[in-house]
Amino acid sequence: GPASTSWSSVAGGIPASASLAITTQGRLYAWGANAVGQLGDNTLVGKSSPVLVSGPASTSWSSIACSTYHGLGITTAGRLYAWGYNGNGQLGDLTTVDKSSPILVSGPASTSWSSIASDGGTTSLAITSIGRLYAWGYNGFGQLGDSTTVSKSSPILVSGPASTSWSSVAGGDTYVSLGITTAGRLYAWGYNAGGELGDNTQVGKSSPVLV
């Protein structure tokens, strides 16, 4: 990376994907595969060393997540951006068109985001600063948690227990989503043929069930 750079956080490690890292000064870099723009540098050319992600000018980044083919980032101002493959609407911009640089996720007006996650490549999840959980992208197994199996190209509210406040979220490689509430309860939803949801069944769920 850039000489004398001090790094604060990283994301990646999925085969055929990009790797992402934020410096202590809030600059976002990426490297690796780039066939669908997952490096966010306005090209489709893979890079073997870090390149600056071409986000909004002077943007400072606070958190990142990535799947095999797309990236997600939250700025220090709480705005959520996505880039890369978008065939399932996982960039959340109301389209299914790939983007090779960060675009603003079309969430609820004036929403401030606090944390993000992705599965293996088809679904995105994010928690707002007031603990509301949203999901978007592929939903064939109910992994968006909105009580349907219809894919969405912009964030929709996960239909968890009433008035639930979420603290963390994660996505699995097998169409599974998981979330922890601020009260410390663990929920899961989506594909369940192998018992991935931990609810003593092998039946898929399209809304959160208690693990």
Side-chain angles (χ1 to χ4, degrees):
S4 304
T5 296
S6 177
W7 302 92
S8 64
S9 61
V10 290
I14 300 171
S17 81
S19 296
L20 303 169
I22 301 173
T23 72
T24 51
Q25 293 181 324
R27 304 193 83 187
L28 176 56
Y29 288 85
W31 60 97
N34 196 25
V36 287
Q38 61 263 53
L39 296 189
D41 69 339
N42 275 322
T43 80
L44 300 178
V45 180
K47 305 295 190 305
S48 58
S49 61
V51 292
L52 197 62
V53 173
S54 58
S58 304
T59 294
S60 177
W61 301 90
S62 63
S63 60
I64 46 175
C66 67
S67 75
T68 305
Y69 299 115
H70 78 291
L72 299 158
I74 297 175
T75 71
T76 52
R79 304 193 84 187
L80 175 56
Y81 290 84
W83 59 95
Y85 181 68
N86 197 25
N88 304 108
Q90 58 265 59
L91 300 190
D93 69 336
L94 293 169
T95 81
T96 53
V97 179
D98 299 348
K99 305 296 189 306
S100 60
S101 62
I103 50 91
L104 197 63
V105 173
S106 60
S110 303
T111 295
S112 178
W113 302 92
S114 64
S115 61
I116 45 177
S118 175
D119 68 355
T122 60
T123 302
S124 303
L125 305 122
I127 299 174
T128 71
S129 57
I130 59 172
R132 303 191 84 186
L133 176 56
Y134 288 83
W136 59 101
Y138 181 63
N139 196 27
F141 296 95
Q143 64 267 41
L144 297 190
D146 69 337
S147 296
T148 80
T149 53
V150 179
S151 298
K152 307 295 190 308
S153 60
S154 64
I156 49 91
L157 197 62
V158 172
S159 57
S163 303
T164 296
S165 178
W166 301 90
S167 62
S168 62
V169 64
D173 286 343
T174 53
Y175 309 111
V176 174
S177 301
L178 302 123
I180 297 175
T181 70
T182 51
R185 306 194 84 186
L186 174 60
Y187 288 84
W189 56 100
Y191 185 76
N192 197 26
E196 293 89 341
L197 302 188
D199 67 341
N200 286 317
T201 80
Q202 291 180 307
V203 178
K205 305 297 190 304
S206 60
S207 61
V209 292
L210 197 63
V211 173

